[in-house]
Amino acid sequence: MSEEDRSRLYAWFREHTGEPLAEYLMSCLAPAPLSDLATKADLEQVDKRFEQVDKRFDRIDQRFDALLALREADRAEAAALREADRVERKEDLRSVKVHHYTVIGFIVALFVANLTFL
């Protein structure tokens, strides 16, 4: 039924039965053609589609969780590597200091030895 037909029918009901009854009668009629209204089968198809979408989102969530776990593992590994680098740099610094002091000592010894021979 078109909107124009609904309007004419409402006007006729209102004229012959009064406004409250016309309102009630119009509320009992479908607002659109019955073929346009959703059926239970339509709603079941929509529910199935939503279930499929939910499953896909669950798989995506699982992938994100796996990626987050990998990211945390990578962060932990990077932190361990940084700590190992710090320890190695400290050892290298100690080695450089020992070498530096050895060279300074050797130069001082040569200087002292040179003074004693003069």
Side-chain angles (χ1 to χ4, degrees):
M1 171 181 316
S2 71
E3 190 61 34
E4 185 179 318
D5 291 339
R6 283 182 61 82
S7 295
R8 271 191 263 136
L9 188 60
Y10 173 71
W12 188 87
F13 280 146
R14 193 177 66 209
E15 182 181 320
H16 289 86
T17 63
E19 190 167 342
L21 187 55
E23 290 284 333
Y24 173 74
L25 289 171
M26 293 307 291
S27 70
C28 293
L29 295 175
L34 292 178
S35 61
D36 291 349
L37 298 178
T39 63
K40 286 184 180 181
D42 294 332
L43 295 177
E44 288 172 0
Q45 286 179 346
V46 170
D47 283 344
K48 286 179 185 177
R49 189 73 174 137
F50 274 119
E51 287 174 9
Q52 292 172 350
V53 170
D54 283 343
K55 287 178 185 177
R56 287 183 180 171
F57 275 122
D58 288 342
R59 287 195 302 264
I60 290 170
D61 284 343
Q62 290 170 356
R63 289 179 185 168
F64 273 125
D65 290 342
L67 287 173
L68 287 174
L70 285 174
R71 180 179 173 203
E72 289 302 317
D74 286 346
R75 283 184 172 180
E77 182 181 347
L81 288 173
R82 283 193 305 273
E83 185 59 32
D85 285 345
R86 282 188 197 113
V87 169
E88 186 177 332
R89 280 196 308 263
K90 282 184 180 179
E91 291 173 1
D92 288 347
L93 185 59
R94 285 184 195 133
S95 174
V96 167
K97 283 182 180 179
V98 167
H99 180 71
H100 176 74
Y101 290 134
T102 303
V103 169
I104 296 295
F106 183 72
I107 290 172
V108 168
L110 284 176
F111 182 72
V112 169
N114 191 21
L115 287 178
T116 56
F117 288 119
L118 290 175

